Amino acid sequence: MSDETRDSNGNVLADGDSVTVIKDLKVKGSSVTLKRGTLIKNIRLTGDPTHIECNAPKVKGIVLKTEFLKKA
């Protein structure tokens, strides 16, 4: 397994990319749900290739799994 961070379609992600959520995601510890199609800009890579950090609308500083994202 490579240590590149990839989205659900296999595209390589980099710091500063924009991604789109591909299914509704409930945010733990919050009443907010990220709806399918939500655009998230300016992502940050973590040390784990299956996770990214981002600021989503209404929620700041969350970590998302890349399997629920596609490159915008």
Side-chain angles (χ1 to χ4, degrees):
M1 174 129 177
S2 69
D3 57 354
E4 292 178 320
T5 301
R6 294 182 177 268
D7 70 1
S8 60
N9 296 332
N11 298 318
V12 177
L13 297 173
D15 279 337
D17 281 351
S18 295
V19 294
T20 305
V21 179
I22 60 171
K23 71 175 260 188
D24 289 359
L25 299 174
K26 291 185 190 260
V27 179
K28 285 186 181 178
S30 168
S31 61
V32 174
T33 300
L34 291 178
K35 296 290 185 192
R36 186 174 149 235
T38 302
L39 179 67
I40 297 174
K41 298 178 183 174
N42 201 16
I43 66 169
R44 293 176 304 283
L45 302 182
T46 63
D48 184 345
T50 61
H51 293 86
I52 56 125
E53 285 184 32
C54 60
N55 291 327
K58 303 180 191 168
V59 190
K60 302 294 179 220
I62 61 173
V63 176
L64 296 175
K65 288 189 170 197
T66 55
E67 65 191 81
F68 302 121
L69 305 171
K70 70 175 183 181
K71 196 169 186 173

